[in-house]
Amino acid sequence: MKNFCKRKIISKDECLHDLESQLQTMFQAFSEAVELFEQEIVLTPLASRAKNFEASLLNSKMMQCIQKYFPDNWRFGKYRRFILRVKGYNVLFKKLNGKDMPMNVKTFLSDAIANQLQYSLFNDSNEVIDPIVFFGYRKDRFGNIISPKLVYIDENHVKWIIDSNDIKEVKVVSSMQKNSDGLLKIKKKASEEKIAN
């Protein structure tokens, strides 16, 4: 592999701050996609389902819901990879294995992604510094779709994870303080309080 520089390295806290409102919407889109998937999968009998039908249908429902909630932020990248580009992040959507790594065939591009290398995800773009994160899910042994989460991978290892608990419990803003419950709340600047009154 050629020597590529690294993309921008980000921490979990940075991502929670940068994508504060978008994360909530991503999880909402995922829930809606699963509902649509469950409604539509039963319309095709088991004997009539082509190879990878379920994965393809769920992927299509996820694309449909992301397109609904982020109509101006999605693109198809190389190899028709569906990518949400929002606030300086490239978000890819994948089923995850038991170690929260994306399930895919190893290729040059998948290796570059797993190592946050500056290799373009798009045919027509040289923009290669934005970090890549995965919005993924797993399936339990009964075939239920579970554990939606945002996963940041570098050096072929999961570096951090954001799940729905992180989003419900943390409200990150530019200036904050803890209240008596230990939850974070917005601390308004004096100029903002005057405008509000």
Side-chain angles (χ1 to χ4, degrees), residues 159-190:
K159 297 296 184 177
W160 50 258
I161 291 170
I162 294 173
D163 63 18
S164 57
N165 293 326
D166 293 311
I167 296 165
K168 290 176 185 170
E169 295 174 0
V170 178
K171 295 191 185 318
V172 183
V173 293
S174 58
S175 178
M176 56 191 160
Q177 71 181 40
K178 288 191 176 184
N179 66 15
S180 58
D181 298 325
L183 299 175
L184 298 176
K185 66 176 187 178
I186 296 172
K187 181 180 177 183
K188 292 185 178 178
K189 295 179 185 169

Side-chain angles (χ1 to χ4, degrees), residues 24-52:
Q24 192 76 21
T25 306
M26 281 185 234
F27 278 86
Q28 182 178 344
F30 177 79
S31 293
E32 191 172 307
V34 171
E35 284 179 32
L36 291 171
F37 168 81
E38 289 172 348
Q39 290 168 11
E40 294 185 28
I41 193 73
V42 295
L43 300 176
T44 305
L46 279 172
S48 303
R49 296 179 190 176
K51 183 180 178 184
N52 298 325

